[in-house]
Amino acid sequence: MASPHATAIADGMVVSIHYTLTDDDGTVIDSSSGGEPLEYLHGHGNVVPGLERGLKGHNEGESLKVDVAPSEGYGEHDPRGLTRVPRDSFPDDMDLQPGMQFSGEDDQGEEQAIWIAAVEGDQIVIDRNHPLAGQTLHFEVTIQRVRNATKEELSHGHVHGAHGHHH
Ligand code: ZN
């Protein structure tokens, strides 16, 4: 039973969580443990949709597990995001390894993160999908704090934390 002072997570609330994210094998992908909690504005797409859905209605102080399917996480892996490019389109002195990330440009000239999926001789397979695309995300979350957002935060659609205003 919720305490009378508990604040439930709803759209327009600023939520602070500690979290550990693991993949299907239990390998830790990311964690706030040992650092600052993650603070986000609920209902504004600041975190993946499945995590928002899983946390909604829960209260400060609760710990819970949230499993997020790829469709509500970083999307399905789209094979069209894979491209083969010749090794010599990269600088000679670049030590190309699978998993390396660099930024490139998409068709519209927007900056985009690109990953090296494989190095196959003089061919480099690059991947424009998010590195977590196609993965089910397993979050273990402790809700540290829930508060109302300020008007400014709501109009910007993100949290203005104690450390100032970052854009
Ligand atoms: Zn702002």
Side-chain angles (χ1 to χ4, degrees):
M1 199 166 86
S3 92
H5 301 293
T7 311
I9 295 174
D11 289 356
M13 309 292 280
V14 172
V15 182
S16 303
I17 56 170
H18 268 302
Y19 69 94
T20 296
L21 168 60
T22 53
D23 65 14
D24 281 335
D25 299 326
T27 303
V28 175
I29 298 167
D30 191 16
S31 177
S32 65
S33 168
E36 295 285 315
L38 169 72
E39 211 177 24
Y40 76 94
L41 180 59
H42 194 88
H44 288 257
N46 296 171
V47 298
V48 295
L51 183 58
E52 284 202 331
R53 189 198 297 271
L55 290 174
K56 188 168 188 167
H58 288 276
N59 294 286
E60 210 170 270
E62 276 189 65
S63 293
L64 67 156
K65 289 185 179 183
V66 180
D67 295 324
V68 176
S71 61
E72 287 199 303
Y74 292 100
E76 302 291 349
H77 190 268
D78 182 354
R80 289 171 300 179
L82 292 169
T83 319
R84 259 165 216 283
V85 294
R87 171 67 183 85
D88 59 16
S89 60
F90 294 90
D92 281 345
D93 59 354
M94 219 173 152
D95 181 26
L96 301 173
Q97 300 289 341
M100 269 180 71
Q101 188 183 12
F102 54 97
S103 58
E105 285 183 359
D106 66 16
D107 300 341
Q108 280 78 45
E110 297 283 323
E111 194 171 310
Q112 185 186 42
I114 296 173
W115 292 77
I116 293 180
V119 177
E120 297 175 352
D122 59 358
Q123 298 281 299
I124 307 299
V125 183
I126 61 171
D127 192 349
R128 294 169 189 277
N129 287 283
H130 188 282
L132 295 177
Q135 295 213 39
T136 300
L137 311 172
H138 304 277
F139 289 96
E140 283 193 49
V141 179
T142 302
I143 303 165
Q144 303 286 314
R145 187 166 175 237
V146 182
R147 66 166 169 86
N148 289 303
T150 65
K151 282 201 178 92
E152 194 186 41
E153 285 172 327
L154 287 173
S155 76
H156 286 207
H158 56 229
V159 171
H160 295 163
H163 306 296
H165 191 165
H166 302 289
H167 279 161

